[in-house]
Amino acid sequence: MSKPNPLLAGVAGRCPNCGEGFLFDGFLKVAPACEACGYDFAKADSGDGPAVFVIMIAGFVVAFSALFVEFALHPPVWVHLILWLPATLIISLGLMRPLKGAMLAAQFMNKASEHRNDE
């Protein structure tokens, strides 16, 4: 059996090592270890990276769409609120888990770990 693409496995929420086990133990909580291969996720930490990417992507999509609708249709403010608040929530929640999985998989691919230099 060949090794999976770690980045695609991370986006799918699977173990970047084997592609079989689950990467998450909940919506965003990282599992302690892979249930299939036993790979330890204890040192995996994506930090704020996924949140920053989600803010950038969702912000661009919603802001561009809202401006386009405003200049094309001139709707009242309540229409903007009904359209763009739920859109922001759906896009943000929809992107958070795949992007967090991708960041964790990128750490796995690059063999990243915390480095300390106490000289």
Side-chain angles (χ1 to χ4, degrees), residues 32-54:
C34 176
E35 59 195 23
C37 69
Y39 186 77
D40 185 23
F41 298 133
K43 292 186 180 179
D45 182 23
S46 61
D48 292 335
V52 170
F53 285 118
V54 166

Side-chain angles (χ1 to χ4, degrees), residues 18 23 32 43-44 51 59 65-67 94-95 105 109 117-118:
C18 68
L23 181 59
K43 292 186 180 179
S65 301
L67 284 172
L95 287 175
M109 286 173 40
N117 191 1
D118 293 333

